[in-house]
Amino acid sequence: MIGLLNKLFHRGDADCNEVRKLSSDYLDEDLAPTKRSVIQAHLSNCGPCRAFVDTLASTIGLLSRIPKVSAPSAFHDSVMDRIKQEKK
Ligand SMILES: [Zn+2]
């Protein structure tokens, strides 16, 4: 971890592997502001990493939305009917 930080700050930029390793923390807003800005600087110069983070962001967005969406009751009822029928 210390080595990673040294590398980030020594070069003033992160390489792609480091950005991708930190990208979930970045999206969770779990990073120190200095690290965030290093990653932001890298993303503004690196299309592939930007695409990677975009994909990750939409994946995380989808995953975090799922528990909040309750199944429509009609769907729930039909699933329950099917389960009851299968038990017979
Ligand atoms: Zn990159």
Side-chain angles (χ1 to χ4, degrees), residues 49-70:
C49 283
R50 210 155 53 225
F52 178 88
V53 170
D54 278 354
T55 305
L56 190 66
S58 59
T59 306
I60 289 173
L62 283 176
L63 291 178
S64 65
R65 241 175 285 144
I66 288 169
K68 288 172 196 158
V69 176
S70 54

Side-chain angles (χ1 to χ4, degrees), residues 15-16 19-20 42 46 48-49:
D15 72 28
C16 297
V19 168
R20 288 167 203 214
H42 182 91
C46 183
C49 283

Side-chain angles (χ1 to χ4, degrees), residues 7-26:
K7 228 201 268 181
L8 286 178
F9 291 114
H10 178 68
R11 290 175 46 207
D13 194 9
D15 72 28
C16 297
N17 283 336
E18 287 164 348
V19 168
R20 288 167 203 214
K21 251 188 280 173
L22 292 172
S23 55
S24 64
D25 286 341
Y26 172 75

Side-chain angles (χ1 to χ4, degrees), residues 20-86:
R20 288 167 203 214
K21 251 188 280 173
L22 292 172
S23 55
S24 64
D25 286 341
Y26 172 75
L27 292 169
D28 285 343
E29 310 206 346
D30 232 12
L31 290 177
T34 41
K35 256 194 277 175
R36 278 188 77 79
S37 61
V38 167
I39 289 178
Q40 274 165 344
H42 182 91
L43 292 178
S44 66
N45 293 315
C46 183
C49 283
R50 210 155 53 225
F52 178 88
V53 170
D54 278 354
T55 305
L56 190 66
S58 59
T59 306
I60 289 173
L62 283 176
L63 291 178
S64 65
R65 241 175 285 144
I66 288 169
K68 288 172 196 158
V69 176
S70 54
S73 57
F75 173 74
H76 177 78
D77 290 348
S78 76
V79 170
M80 291 310 285
D81 284 350
R82 216 174 302 159
I83 290 169
K84 281 178 208 157
Q85 282 166 11
E86 278 168 16

